[in-house]
Amino acid sequence: PTNLCAFSLAGVGGNSVEKKIYVHLNYTVPCVRLLNATHQIGCQSSLSGNVGVLHVLESEDNLDWVLKSGPNPPYLVILESPLFTRSIMMKLKNGSRRVAGVVVVAPNANPLEAFSPHTTCPNENSGVYSEDYDPALAHCNVTVWNPFGNGLAYEEFDFPIFSLKDDNDTHVIRQCYMEHNRAVNGSTPQYPLCAMQLYSHMLHNFVRNKIYLKFINSNQKMVCDPLGDYNVWASTRPINNTAKGHKMWESVVIAAARLDSRSFFFDIAPGADSGVSGFVTLLAAAHALRNATQEAPPNRTILYAFFQGETFDYIGSSRMVYDMQNNQFAVDLDNVHSVLEIGQVGLHTESKLWLHSDPVSRKNSSVLFQVRKLIENLQSAAGGLNISMDEPSVSQPLPPSSFQRFLRARPIPGVVLEDHQSAFSNRFYESMYDNAEYLNISYPPNMTPEEQLEFVTDTAKALTEVATMVAKALYMQAGGSEPQLSSIKADAQIVTRLLYGFLVRSNNSWFQQLIPSDLMSHLGKPTNFYVGVTQQSSEPTLLVQHLLANLTGSTVNITQENCQNQREDENDKENKHMYYYMWVQGAAPPNSTQREGFCIRSTVRLSKALSPAFDMREYTSKDYSTWTESRWKSIKGRIFLVASHDLEMLTLGVGIAVLLTSLLLTYVISSKADMLFSSGREPTNATY
């Protein structure tokens, strides 16, 4: 396009030509391209970015302008969030020759209507309920878990789709559209028109089945990376992590929660109910159990497991089960006594929670006995708390949960704790609206960030009750002594800080004290819980690792050098097998800016959350996740004014004519140079 000029409303500064032509957009978050062995989903732009004339969609009826009657295609469509529906997006997808891209304006408040871009049956083909396990329970035949799921996040779009905050950028876009592009009384808008360019080119386009995945383990240029991260785990009793595999006389109760979430846009995944409510409850329960498990250790070890990548076919839990089966983990499946998983627990109405178990494995009498025992422990632990519990019908399968991957390996007793009886209570499952506002986390006006950090919200109080109940139930399940139960109580102050840190602002004074100085750059506003690729640990993983260590470990008085070298002194060769040491920066004393760091000794470890399919090179595996993310170079958007096609052609024609004329003149002048530039030379033999 021929770019005419910048518009004064943008207020751009600087002297460069580019700054006078383009207005660059801030805080653009794209939908990215994801691929597995059978599907390609997500969005991307062309190599040079997609350019289109701006059109602000005012209603679904207004789509005809974009798809049929508008005279200046392709259009780049601006959607307010209520119009970001499956109906509209599929119409735009089917008319993609006239659509250059879509920008969704993220609202400042959650919508009233339910919205979930996930499917109605999450992880349908990667859980335990297959045709082989029980055909009647496969494919969500009994319960549609996510009835509001519209599946948009699993569609493929041939144009870029970005999210923009409703701020100055969107004001500029609307004003530019109103001044240049809006058709008034049916008239055709006159040039120059306001246009936008979106860059989100992914380095890879899908080639069916095996071919694209061969790049991952070849020497060719990488075009996509496996999704994955690290699981975080810890135990109430030290377990030798160097000697992998079965541990004699060790019996383990696994307490699990998932860490990750997602939404349609890769960098906005708050996961408040879908993930945060569960793992915050488990962190608080682990803290509540610290003293009791040290003063009166139960017969069994409680193993806390925080799984990454569960959204994408249970990456983290399937990897832990695989490692247990192949002697690559600190314990094996024979050591596992039972499992208690904390799922979505942030929206329990009337203080009611639901205890889900598997109807198929319960047919085994020993499994049924242990499941009943675990349920009795949970119900007993709720005594004296403002919580009631119930079980769904005996024929209902488990909801989507990490525990399903353990059941795929063998019948193991277990219960999944949820805030819903059948279909999810969460109306915004795996969407950008599953946030702090949705969990009713709010603060009185005029509070400073530090005051908000310490303010105990009603949500924090409710989850503290759940954490207390979970902690007591785990202690009983592990065979702990009854006199200790009265001392097990979750701390509401810890819970409210955790919720504030993960859902409002991770860059707060409490989080800062509990991490090493080199992780300070990871702290920001609300945490993004999208799992990402395996190149590095994500912010949620690093934060949960350090928080769990501080909440369950103890401070040891050793030097920073010894701490970082995993030893208590120069002669210590053994403790590194049983404990993990981490140096955290601590708090600054009053009237000082110098922090006083200290060493934490804990049993917290990281283990791979990478699908076994990539280690085994089974890139078409039906047993394990094969999800990858396409690489990209730049993500950006900009707006400018564009001239009419006729003017562009005229400008091009004039340019070509000037070029040809200059070439002709250059040729003529060059061929006549001797004549044109000769001067009256004197003979060389002239004498003076």
Side-chain angles (χ1 to χ4, degrees):
T2 302
N3 305 320
L4 295 183
C5 58
F7 24 92
S8 59
L9 58 92
V12 293
N15 296 319
S16 74
V17 173
E18 189 198 30
K19 286 185 178 179
K20 292 182 177 179
I21 293 175
Y22 298 106
V23 176
H24 290 271
L25 303 173
N26 301 310
Y27 310 115
T28 53
V29 180
C31 148
V32 298
R33 181 75 82 209
L34 300 174
L35 316 95
N36 71 4
T38 56
H39 291 83
Q40 172 172 288
I41 62 174
C43 331
Q44 73 168 22
S45 74
S46 64
L47 182 61
S48 57
N50 284 28
V51 179
V53 172
L54 278 182
H55 182 77
V56 176
L57 195 68
E58 294 170 357
S59 70
E60 189 164 356
D61 297 336
N62 190 226
L63 270 175
D64 190 62
W65 180 270
V66 174
L67 301 177
K68 293 179 181 176
S69 61
N72 303 305
Y75 287 97
L76 214 146
V77 182
I78 312 298
L79 290 178
E80 298 293 339
S81 60
L83 297 177
F84 185 47
T85 63
R86 181 175 181 85
S87 170
I88 288 177
M89 291 305 299
M90 295 309 289
K91 287 176 182 176
L92 291 173
K93 174 182 175 176
N94 295 331
S96 59
R97 289 187 178 182
R98 289 178 58 92
V99 179
V102 173
V103 171
V104 179
V105 179
N108 294 319
N110 282 358
L112 297 175
E113 305 80 20
F115 178 82
S116 172
H118 210 287
T119 59
T120 57
C121 189
N123 288 349
E124 177 178 354
N125 299 311
S126 52
V128 71
Y129 297 112
S130 62
E131 298 291 340
D132 296 333
Y133 193 72
D134 190 329
L137 302 180
H139 311 297
C140 294
N141 287 338
V142 175
T143 305
V144 176
W145 295 107
N146 187 32
F148 298 115
N150 58 34
L152 268 182
Y154 288 84
E155 291 289 342
E156 178 186 0
F157 296 91
D158 295 327
F159 47 77
I161 305 175
F162 279 45
S163 173
L164 271 183
K165 287 184 178 178
D166 193 1
D167 58 9
N168 290 342
D169 282 347
T170 50
H171 174 73
V172 168
I173 290 168
R174 290 188 186 102
Q175 190 169 341
C176 187
Y177 169 77
M178 296 299 288
E179 290 182 3
H180 296 277
N181 295 19
R182 193 165 192 264
V184 180
N185 298 326
S187 62
T188 301
Q190 299 299 307
Y191 285 97
L193 296 174
C194 194
M196 181 182 285
Q197 187 170 28
L198 297 178
Y199 292 88
S200 63
H201 180 65
M202 306 288 138
L203 296 182
H204 185 68
N205 284 318
F206 186 56
V207 181
R208 288 286 170 198
N209 291 335
K210 301 180 184 178
I211 300 175
Y212 85 95
L213 287 160
K214 287 182 180 177
F215 283 102
I216 293 170
N217 279 295
S218 72
N219 294 321
Q220 300 178 56
K221 182 181 178 182
M222 294 282 283
V223 293
C224 55
D225 297 292
L227 294 185
D229 199 320
Y230 287 90
N231 298 322
V232 183
W233 66 273
S235 54
T236 53
R237 213 188 325 251
I239 298 175
N240 189 326
N241 191 50
T242 307
K244 305 292 187 184
H246 185 70
K247 298 291 190 294
M248 290 292 289
W249 321 118
E250 187 73 77
S251 180
V252 168
V253 176
I254 294 178
R258 58 178 273 196
L259 282 181
D260 66 304
S261 184
R262 74 170 297 205
S263 78
F264 188 86
F265 303 101
F266 93 106
D267 208 23
I268 313 174
D273 188 39
S274 62
V276 176
S277 66
F279 78 70
V280 162
T281 298
L282 187 53
L283 282 170
H287 176 249
L289 282 166
R290 176 169 61 181
N291 292 340
T293 53
Q294 289 174 0
E295 293 167 7
N299 300 330
R300 301 184 185 94
T301 300
I302 302 169
L303 190 147
Y304 309 112
F306 298 83
F307 295 122
Q308 266 285 16
E310 297 302 272
T311 304
F312 295 95
D313 296 331
Y314 304 119
I315 294 173
S317 55
S318 65
R319 180 55 188 245
M320 184 173 283
V321 171
Y322 173 83
D323 286 345
M324 286 181 175
Q325 291 173 313
N326 291 277
N327 294 324
Q328 296 296 314
F329 192 70
V331 295
D332 68 6
L333 288 173
D334 289 334
N335 293 124
V336 178
H337 173 266
S338 51
V339 177
L340 173 60
E341 180 172 350
I342 319 303
Q344 303 180 89
V345 292
L347 297 171
H348 52 285
T349 53
E350 300 172 357
S351 300
K352 190 162 191 176
L353 291 169
W354 294 88
L355 307 175
H356 297 261
S357 58
D358 171 45
V360 179
S361 59
R362 284 202 315 261
K363 294 173 184 176
N364 179 312
S365 58
S366 62
V367 170
L368 176 61
F369 176 78
Q370 290 297 339
V371 168
R372 296 312 316 166
K373 188 78 187 301
L374 178 51
I375 289 173
E376 286 168 15
N377 287 336
L378 285 160
Q379 291 172 334
S380 173
L385 299 172
N386 187 28
I387 297 174
S388 64
M389 280 181 290
D390 205 346
E391 296 176 68
S393 69
V394 291
S395 61
Q396 183 173 281
L398 286 169
S401 51
S402 307
F403 178 46
Q404 290 198 30
R405 292 302 302 199
F406 286 84
L407 287 175
R408 277 184 68 142
R410 64 171 62 178
I412 293 175
V415 168
V416 179
L417 190 65
E418 299 276 2
D419 60 15
H420 55 88
Q421 177 181 4
S422 52
F424 294 161
S425 303
N426 190 347
R427 297 183 300 117
F428 299 130
Y429 182 75
E430 306 287 39
S431 83
M432 58 184 170
Y433 307 125
D434 186 10
N435 52 21
E437 179 191 341
Y438 187 45
L439 285 191
N440 292 317
I441 297 173
S442 58
Y443 304 92
N446 304 319
M447 268 193 172
T448 65
E450 202 63 28
E451 289 169 338
Q452 290 180 346
L453 173 67
E454 301 297 335
F455 180 78
V456 180
T457 62
D458 290 340
T459 303
K461 292 174 185 174
L463 287 183
T464 302
E465 296 265 281
V466 180
T468 299
M469 182 267 295
V470 167
K472 289 183 175 183
L474 285 171
Y475 191 71
M476 286 188 278
Q477 184 71 6
S481 59
E482 199 160 315
Q484 287 288 331
L485 290 175
S486 59
S487 67
I488 298 174
K489 192 174 189 307
D491 185 343
Q493 205 70 51
I494 295 286
V495 174
T496 206
R497 288 174 180 174
L498 288 168
L499 290 172
Y500 178 84
F502 284 113
L503 295 176
V504 181
R505 185 185 297 273
S506 63
N507 191 11
N508 61 71
S509 61
W510 189 57
F511 275 22
Q512 289 169 12
Q513 293 172 31
L514 307 183
I515 62 171
S517 56
D518 59 352
L519 294 187
M520 283 288 285
S521 60
H522 287 261
L523 301 182
K525 288 200 173 179
T527 306
N528 173 33
F529 288 97
Y530 170 64
V531 61
V533 296
T534 54
Q535 302 297 319
Q536 58 188 18
S537 296
S538 64
E539 179 187 333
T541 298
L542 294 170
L543 286 175
V544 168
Q545 177 194 12
H546 288 86
L547 286 163
L548 184 60
N550 280 274
L551 294 173
T552 61
S554 57
T555 305
V556 287
N557 187 21
I558 60 176
T559 65
Q560 183 173 355
E561 180 185 1
N562 282 335
C563 186
Q564 292 172 339
N565 285 323
Q566 299 300 307
R567 64 193 185 191
E568 301 210 1
D569 56 48
E570 285 75 5
N571 300 317
D572 179 10
K573 308 291 186 192
E574 299 302 320
N575 274 309
K576 65 182 179 183
H577 304 303
M578 311 300 288
Y579 296 102
Y580 188 77
Y581 296 81
M582 55 178 67
W583 188 267
V584 298
Q585 61 181 2
N591 304 320
S592 172
T593 56
Q594 189 67 35
R595 291 180 179 271
E596 295 181 349
F598 56 92
C599 187
I600 290 287
R601 184 183 73 181
S602 73
T603 60
V604 175
R605 305 278 185 173
L606 298 180
S607 65
K608 269 188 184 180
L610 171 67
S611 171
F614 297 108
D615 283 355
M616 297 186 293
R617 303 195 177 193
E618 293 183 3
Y619 303 132
T620 56
S621 172
K622 293 182 179 178
D623 295 322
Y624 297 105
S625 170
T626 55
W627 283 107
T628 65
E629 180 188 288
S630 181
R631 290 188 174 185
W632 67 84
K633 288 188 176 178
S634 65
I635 301 291
K636 59 183 178 180
R638 57 188 185 180
I639 54 177
F640 51 90
L641 295 182
V642 63
S644 70
H645 185 67
D646 292 343
L647 181 55
E648 287 179 335
M649 290 299 100
L650 176 61
T651 305
L652 179 63
V654 170
I656 292 172
V658 170
L659 174 64
L660 293 175
T661 303
S662 63
L663 290 173
L664 180 62
L665 284 172
T666 301
Y667 173 77
V668 170
I669 292 171
S670 177
S671 62
K672 305 293 183 180
D674 289 345
M675 182 186 304
L676 294 172
F677 301 110
S678 64
S679 56
R681 296 180 183 174
E682 295 175 356
T684 56
N685 59 352
T687 58
Y688 295 91

